[in-house]
């Protein structure tokens, strides 16, 4: 019986440490709701300038849609989501569509207004979709209250 007890506990430790390693890094960029979209754009520019592939980046807005998303949606949902599925460029989505967006290494969230429920829904989903880095642009107090942790 002593031989079987270490068996289950041994695999559990590596799994727990693997999950800890897999958690994305979180960065907070303080910004007002009016400035969150600009801060997100600056973050994307820095990511691309540092060598990050455009297809690695998903940008989510909790308030007004990013102008690119609004423009692309004017051609229809099918065309818009086809660009997402191609995965070769930065993709911009509203918080309400986050569940439909695929995981990407980097997710940037602009907390640029909208109801508190938009941020409360988008931030945990964004955290689960970012495999390497989650960048959140917005009011730190609002973001921390939604994520429930000091970021």
């Amino acid at each position: 019986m002593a031989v079987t007890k270490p068996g289950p506990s041994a695999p559990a430790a590596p799994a727990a440490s693997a999950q800890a390693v897999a958690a994305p890094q979180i960065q907070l960029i303080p910004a007002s709701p009016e400035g969150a979209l600009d801060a997100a754009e600056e973050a994307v520019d820095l990511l691309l300038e540092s060598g990050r592939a455009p297809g690695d980046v998903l940008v989510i807005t909790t308030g007004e849609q990013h102008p690119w998303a609004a423009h692309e949606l004017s051609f229809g949902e099918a065309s818009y989501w086809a660009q997402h599925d191609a995965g070769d460029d930065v993709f911009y989505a509203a918080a309400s569509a986050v569940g439909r967006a695929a995981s990407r290494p980097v997710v940037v969230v602009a907390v640029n207004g909208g109801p508190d429920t938009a941020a409360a829904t988008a931030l945990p989903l964004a955290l689960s979709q970012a495999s390497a880095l989650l960048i959140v642009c917005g009011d730190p107090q609002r973001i921390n209250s939604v994520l429930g942790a000091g970021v």
Side-chain angles (χ1 to χ4, degrees):
M1 207 52 143
V3 174
T4 58
K5 280 188 177 182
S9 65
S17 64
Q19 287 176 350
V21 171
Q25 179 183 353
I26 301 173
Q27 292 180 356
L28 173 61
I29 300 174
S32 67
E34 299 78 23
L37 197 52
D38 288 338
E41 281 294 319
E42 289 176 24
V44 169
D45 288 346
L46 288 170
L47 287 164
L48 299 177
E49 289 169 10
S50 70
R52 180 65 72 175
D56 285 355
V57 183
L58 170 66
V59 179
I60 299 165
T61 55
T62 62
E64 188 174 319
Q65 281 193 349
H66 187 277
W68 180 91
H71 173 76
E72 293 301 321
L73 279 166
S74 71
F75 298 107
E77 291 260 338
S79 171
Y80 172 75
W81 286 104
Q83 290 186 36
H84 167 270
D85 296 340
D88 54 9
D89 206 353
V90 176
F91 190 77
Y92 298 84
S96 59
V98 172
R100 186 169 174 186
S103 296
R104 293 203 177 184
V106 180
V107 178
V108 180
V109 180
V111 184
N112 63 330
D116 282 343
T117 55
T121 302
L123 288 173
L125 275 171
L127 183 61
S128 70
Q129 289 179 320
S131 60
L133 177 62
L134 172 64
I135 300 173
V136 185
C137 306
D139 175 38
Q141 286 184 317
R142 182 176 183 196
I143 293 163
N144 284 332
S145 71
V146 170
L147 288 178
V151 185

